[in-house]
Amino acid sequence: MRELKQLRQDAFGIFQAGLEAVDPSEAVKRYVTRREDMLEVCGAHYPLANYRHVHVVGAGKASAQMALAIEDLLGDRVSGGRVIVKYGHSAPLSKVEVIEAGHPVPDQNGLRGAAEIIKLLQTAESNDLIVCLISGGGSALLSCPARGLTLEDKQSMTQLLLNCGAKIQEINAIRKHLSGLKGGRLAQVAHPATLVSLILSDVIGDPIESIASGPSAPDPSTFADCLRIIAKYGIEQKIPANVKLHLEQGADGEVEETPKPGDPIFAQVRNVIVGSNRLAMEAAKRKAETLGYNSLILSGFIEGETRLVAALHAAIAHEIDSSGNPVSRPACIISGGETTVTIRGDGRGGRNQEFALAAALAIESLQDVVVLSGGTDGTDGPTDAAGAVADNGTLRRARGRGLDAEQFLQRNDSYNFFQPLGDLLVTGPTLTNVMDLRLMLLG
């Protein structure tokens, strides 16, 4: 018991080290500096005297914290701006207005915020500089339905895609084609101003066209791709009629496509990744090593069905226990990325809590093993938890309370499994977002 208690304590410390490495304000300041009247962004120089106005816009769970860094760097040179964040993710800004809105399902506040950003960008001229701050959650928060669509259409479509197990790249491909700002359309509205986008990535591989649905990036996906995704998950008969008509008209060339690579509107656009899941994993590894663990980053590209991913991690734990491969005890295995959950029951939870529950079922026969899985944004599904922690004694303690882990897993009810055990990972809003961080410790 004493060994498990220490392993749990270490897991929390390692997870916290990962979070600290992707603090949004510090991430911005690593890539953006100012010397007198010269702004430097990742090697590119922007003489502030050349610009009539410097506006700040953005969307995402971390965008307010990122705006704090920009206000600190630029001070009075910031003319104003607006960023849209998830409820509870605000920050005390002096020049930039913060609008709180719904996530992961968009709401009226997001609609209003997007309209105000469009209004501001439409005033921009060639001698203006737009600093765009993008982070995870931006897709839902930057809600501007394409012509002929309603907020209700987008809400319904978002929920369908979340429930069917679609990958985030697939969800965002469709979001881009239902929006007036995503898929490069924000850059289209801002043209001919100079646009610099600073991006905190929450997508595997950090593709700028997918993060927050790429509002400032060329979009390689098409309306035809969207129809294929809908057919793949068998939801053709469930999507709103307006959405189906819009996508079909787009595939037939009756609705304008999103801006593609090579479009001249991107000539004055620069997109810079300032933070990612990789940074969080590397910081977690360094922390684990200082605590004496033989540490290994398994992969930052983990995706797929959560239960299968949990089974893979448990198999690695068994291999370490049996052969000392790929690292020997004491061991810390770290992985990142973002899995998906196909909803089969009516329970409550999220992908990280479900990962911990599925892993608990597979590690009970081992000794001194702890698994922690958490969303770096502090939220996991529609719950107040970031994730959960489990160990090889979790099922024994659960049975003592009359909890059947298999039944809770089948109902997708991981939250109500871990809550009475006191094993939910509750951080509150972390004000950052770089996907998930999973840890597996063997003492």
Side-chain angles (χ1 to χ4, degrees):
M1 291 297 291
R2 185 166 53 200
E3 179 77 8
L4 281 178
K5 183 177 180 181
Q6 185 62 55
L7 286 171
R8 281 169 165 262
Q9 182 178 323
D10 289 349
F12 290 126
I14 294 167
F15 183 76
Q16 185 61 37
L19 290 183
E20 290 171 0
V22 288
D23 174 85
S25 292
E26 294 305 313
V28 168
K29 290 180 179 180
R30 276 195 294 268
Y31 287 85
V32 182
T33 58
R34 179 183 179 181
R35 289 187 178 87
E36 297 180 353
D37 214 33
M38 180 66 71
L39 183 68
E40 182 175 345
V41 182
C42 198
H45 295 84
Y46 299 88
L48 294 173
N50 290 357
Y51 300 106
R52 181 186 60 144
H53 296 130
V54 178
H55 292 300
V56 178
V57 299
K61 298 173 189 176
S63 60
Q65 289 294 310
M66 297 169 79
L68 269 178
I70 295 299
E71 286 195 348
D72 186 43
L73 287 165
L74 296 184
D76 290 341
R77 283 300 281 120
V78 176
S79 306
R82 294 175 183 85
V83 295
I84 310 171
V85 300
K86 182 179 178 178
Y87 292 110
H89 288 62
S90 188
L93 299 172
S94 58
K95 294 281 190 176
V96 179
E97 179 187 358
V98 180
I99 299 167
E100 295 189 348
H103 177 278
V105 178
D107 67 3
Q108 286 290 343
N109 269 9
L111 204 67
R112 176 177 66 86
E116 292 184 9
I117 286 175
I118 289 174
K119 185 177 179 180
L120 175 63
L121 293 178
Q122 285 174 335
T123 69
E125 299 179 5
S126 59
N127 58 347
D128 288 328
L129 174 63
I130 309 295
V131 179
C132 183
L133 307 172
I134 298 298
S135 69
S139 282
L141 295 165
L142 198 62
S143 182
C144 176
R147 185 175 300 175
L149 301 179
T150 66
L151 175 62
E152 290 73 23
D153 290 331
K154 293 196 72 174
Q155 289 172 329
S156 176
M157 197 66 204
T158 298
Q159 199 62 63
L160 271 173
L161 291 166
L162 289 170
N163 289 348
C164 75
K167 298 177 183 178
I168 188 62
Q169 296 91 334
E170 295 171 325
I171 293 173
N172 285 351
I174 293 175
R175 281 170 162 169
K176 284 187 276 191
H177 287 84
L178 304 181
S179 173
L181 279 176
K182 303 182 188 78
R185 295 199 188 278
L186 185 147
Q188 195 172 45
V189 177
H191 183 73
T194 297
L195 176 64
V196 176
S197 278
L198 307 176
I199 303 167
L200 197 67
S201 174
D202 72 330
V203 179
I204 290 173
D206 307 329
I208 58 171
E209 71 273 9
S210 290
I211 303 162
S213 299
S216 58
D219 175 30
S221 69
T222 65
F223 280 105
D225 292 332
C226 296
L227 292 175
R228 281 192 288 270
I229 292 166
I230 288 167
K232 174 182 175 180
Y233 291 99
I235 57 174
E236 301 100 316
Q237 304 307 314
K238 298 179 181 179
I239 68 174
N242 286 344
V243 170
K244 186 176 183 182
L245 178 62
H246 179 79
L247 295 177
E248 288 174 343
Q249 288 179 333
D252 290 339
E254 299 173 29
V255 175
E256 182 186 16
E257 259 290 1
T258 48
K260 302 303 177 194
D263 193 306
I265 67 166
F266 297 110
Q268 297 299 317
V269 175
R270 182 172 173 81
N271 292 291
V272 179
I273 302 287
V274 298
S276 67
N277 190 247
R278 171 62 54 177
L279 288 175
M281 290 191 299
E282 290 173 350
K285 183 174 185 288
R286 288 192 296 271
K287 178 65 173 179
E289 288 170 345
T290 66
L291 293 172
Y293 291 93
N294 301 312
S295 302
L296 173 70
I297 294 177
L298 182 63
S299 175
F301 290 77
I302 301 290
E303 57 183 342
E305 189 69 30
T306 298
R307 300 181 193 186
L308 298 178
V309 174
L312 169 64
H313 284 66
I316 293 171
H318 281 274
E319 186 64 38
I320 291 171
D321 186 66
S322 174
S323 70
N325 288 308
V327 291
S328 60
R329 288 177 180 260
C332 177
I333 301 296
I334 301 162
S335 72
E338 191 167 288
T339 61
T340 53
V341 174
T342 302
I343 303 297
R344 301 176 177 88
D346 57 357
R348 189 179 181 203
R351 59 182 179 266
N352 289 288
Q353 295 160 65
E354 183 147 319
F355 176 93
L357 178 53
L361 285 160
I363 62 172
E364 186 178 21
S365 64
L366 298 175
Q367 292 296 315
D368 300 330
V369 180
V370 166
V371 173
L372 181 151
S373 185
T376 54
D377 59 352
T379 55
D380 183 36
T383 75
D384 59 356
V389 61
D391 59 53
N392 53 279
T394 293
L395 299 190
R396 175 182 51 77
R397 290 185 290 113
R399 285 191 289 267
R401 291 176 172 267
L403 305 175
D404 185 320
E406 286 278 8
Q407 289 183 9
F408 278 87
L409 184 62
Q410 293 310 311
R411 295 199 304 269
N412 301 111
D413 202 16
S414 49
Y415 183 93
N416 289 315
F417 176 83
F418 285 113
Q419 187 179 44
L421 298 177
D423 284 345
L424 290 171
L425 176 63
V426 181
T427 63
T430 63
L431 308 180
T432 191
N433 187 18
V434 292
M435 297 185 286
D436 301 332
L437 189 59
R438 289 175 294 272
L439 309 171
M440 187 168 62
L441 277 63
L442 290 84

